[in-house]
């Protein structure tokens, strides 16, 4: 903050000794030290408050950004769901139209149809009691 060297401090001390006097100089020095420490604590408190406010502002901006990205992702997901629903609806409509025309070639075969083969059944396993 200030560029004060050793020589300047010595000059200030000599002037203070001459002006204040040797009897009151220790009391004045103690008082000045207390005032200096209070000023430093006040400055550090203000600095901490400013840093905390800056961090809160950064967190608010980050929160806003995350909310915007979440909203965009939700909108994209909703749009994908709508696209799939529309496609499914069009397939169902095509299947109904094919059944109505009597041409079930594009429709999905029902369970147990000729195109579906069942897996052979496996023999049952017996469990023996353990003595």
């Amino acid at each position: 903050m200030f560029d004060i060297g050793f020589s300047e401090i010595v000059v200030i001390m000599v002037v203070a000794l001459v002006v204040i006097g040797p009897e009151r100089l220790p009391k004045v020095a103690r008082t000045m030290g207390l005032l200096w420490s209070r000023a430093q604590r006040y400055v550090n408190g203000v600095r901490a408050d400013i840093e905390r406010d800056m961090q809160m502002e950064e967190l608010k901006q980050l929160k806003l950004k995350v909310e915007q990205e979440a909203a965009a992702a939700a909108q994209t997901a909703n749009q994908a769901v709508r696209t799939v629903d529309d496609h499914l609806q069009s397939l169902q409509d095509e299947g109904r139209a094919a059944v109505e025309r009597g041409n079930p070639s594009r429709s999905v075969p029902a369970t147990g149809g000729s195109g579906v083969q069942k897996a052979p059944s496996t023999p049952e396993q017996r469990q023996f009691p353990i003595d």
Side-chain angles (χ1 to χ4, degrees):
M1 193 158 90
F2 295 109
D3 189 20
I4 298 176
F6 182 72
S7 60
E8 286 94 7
I9 292 176
V10 171
V11 170
I12 291 171
M13 294 297 280
V14 169
V15 170
L17 182 61
V18 170
V19 172
I20 296 174
E23 296 88 28
R24 292 187 296 173
L25 185 61
K27 187 175 182 178
V28 170
R30 193 176 312 120
T31 305
M32 290 300 293
L34 289 173
L35 292 175
W36 182 256
S37 66
R38 284 183 189 170
Q40 282 183 333
R41 275 184 271 154
Y42 176 74
V43 168
N44 287 337
V46 169
R47 184 179 300 142
D49 288 343
I50 290 172
E51 287 177 5
R52 193 174 320 122
D53 288 343
M54 288 174 48
Q55 289 174 350
M56 288 298 291
E57 186 64 32
E58 289 175 3
L59 287 175
K60 286 179 184 177
Q61 290 176 356
L62 181 63
K63 178 184 173 189
L64 181 65
K65 183 179 178 182
V66 167
E67 287 175 349
Q68 288 174 348
E69 289 178 3
Q75 183 179 6
T76 303
N78 288 338
Q79 189 176 20
V81 167
R82 274 188 259 123
T83 303
V84 169
D85 285 343
D86 291 344
H87 187 65
L88 181 61
Q89 185 66 36
S90 67
L91 288 176
Q92 287 176 349
D93 291 343
E94 286 180 16
R96 286 185 196 126
V99 169
E100 289 175 3
R101 285 189 308 240
N103 185 9
S105 62
R106 293 199 59 183
S107 64
V108 178
T111 57
S114 62
V116 178
Q117 295 181 356
K118 291 186 177 181
S121 62
T122 59
E124 294 182 20
Q125 295 180 353
R126 296 184 184 175
Q127 294 184 355
F128 297 101
I130 299 175
D131 293 328

